[in-house]
Amino acid sequence: MNLIESYAAYDDKILKDVEFASAEVHETEFNDCTFKGCDLHETEFVACRFNDCEFIDCNLNMITIKDCSFREVTFQDSKLVGINWLAADWPKLVSNSPINFQDCQLDYSTFIGLALKKIKLKGCSLKDIEFSDADLSEADFRDSVLTSSRFNNTNLSKARFDGATDYKIDITRNRVNKTKFSLPEAYSLLHSIEEIVLVDA
């Protein structure tokens, strides 16, 4: 019998050390649930709802989230590599991001065109991620590593990159109004300004 059933509802549950990899879950609703130490990698979630849920130390690599909805969901110390976040069912109007991440690994994922204002991506590994055309205004990237991640026509107004490393942001192709950066990483922003020539001292 499956530990997580399709067409079910889980309310105020703690799911601990659940091993449910490469499975399928359809149209299940999770309300106020906490997932701890669960292995759900490559599981297909279809039209599921996650409301006020928390994932702690979970393996969610390569999961699919087709038509899933998220509201006030946090991920901490978890692996979320290779996820297409575009596949989820996102609200049309939202003042704050419905998902947030702390000390997570999200490499090789895509957030193209998503409106995730005030999203927290703090202390995360964000390597080779596509953020083009997304609204990430007031986002928190502090202390994250952004190797090879791409920003193009991205709204980064009032976002925080202090302590973040290895980012390459063309300030002529992205909105960076009142965006916070810290030295020495902020020097990389100068490479996008053609009128400035950088030379060794």
Side-chain angles (χ1 to χ4, degrees):
M1 181 172 122
N2 291 336
L3 293 177
I4 300 178
E5 298 182 353
S6 294
Y7 312 106
Y10 295 85
D11 299 315
D12 196 23
K13 298 290 186 181
I14 296 177
L15 293 88
K16 187 175 181 180
D17 299 326
V18 173
E19 294 189 8
F20 198 62
S22 302
E24 292 186 13
V25 182
H26 292 257
E27 299 184 38
T28 291
E29 186 167 340
F30 302 89
N31 299 303
D32 297 294
C33 291
T34 300
F35 298 78
K36 290 185 177 181
C38 297
D39 183 3
L40 305 172
H41 77 272
E42 297 186 2
T43 289
E44 295 184 26
F45 292 96
V46 180
C48 294
R49 295 182 181 180
F50 297 88
N51 302 312
D52 298 288
C53 292
E54 185 175 17
F55 291 82
I56 303 171
D57 192 27
C58 291
N59 182 357
L60 303 166
N61 287 343
M62 302 296 291
I63 65 169
T64 59
I65 50 174
K66 183 179 179 181
D67 297 328
C68 291
S69 64
F70 298 87
R71 185 175 65 85
E72 298 294 329
V73 178
T74 61
F75 301 88
Q76 183 175 338
D77 297 308
S78 294
K79 298 177 181 178
L80 302 107
V81 172
I83 296 176
N84 178 15
W85 292 94
L86 279 69
D89 181 18
W90 299 102
K92 300 299 181 184
L93 297 174
V94 60
S95 57
N96 297 320
S97 173
I99 53 174
N100 290 289
F101 306 88
Q102 174 78 46
D103 299 318
C104 290
Q105 183 181 7
L106 293 96
D107 306 338
Y108 312 110
S109 298
T110 181
F111 293 88
I112 295 176
L114 295 181
L116 298 172
K117 185 176 180 180
K118 296 183 180 179
I119 186 173
K120 289 181 175 62
L121 293 155
K122 191 175 178 182
C124 294
S125 178
L126 305 173
K127 299 176 182 178
D128 201 7
I129 291 182
E130 184 60 78
F131 290 113
S132 295
D133 299 312
D135 182 358
L136 304 177
S137 54
E138 300 183 65
D140 188 349
F141 288 94
R142 284 180 293 171
D143 302 318
S144 290
V145 180
L146 292 114
T147 308
S148 299
S149 286
R150 293 167 295 284
F151 298 88
N152 186 48
N153 194 36
T154 307
N155 186 354
L156 297 171
S157 299
K158 298 183 180 180
R160 298 192 63 173
F161 285 86
D162 31 324
T165 59
D166 213 14
Y167 52 79
K168 289 181 174 58
I169 299 172
D170 187 333
I171 61 176
T172 67
R173 296 185 177 183
N174 297 281
R175 295 178 61 183
V176 289
N177 182 41
K178 296 184 179 180
T179 305
K180 293 184 178 180
F181 300 96
S182 58
L183 295 173
E185 288 293 324
Y187 287 125
S188 67
L189 303 173
L190 298 176
H191 288 282
S192 62
I193 305 176
E194 294 182 358
E195 290 80 5
I196 294 178
V197 178
L198 300 178
V199 296
D200 293 329

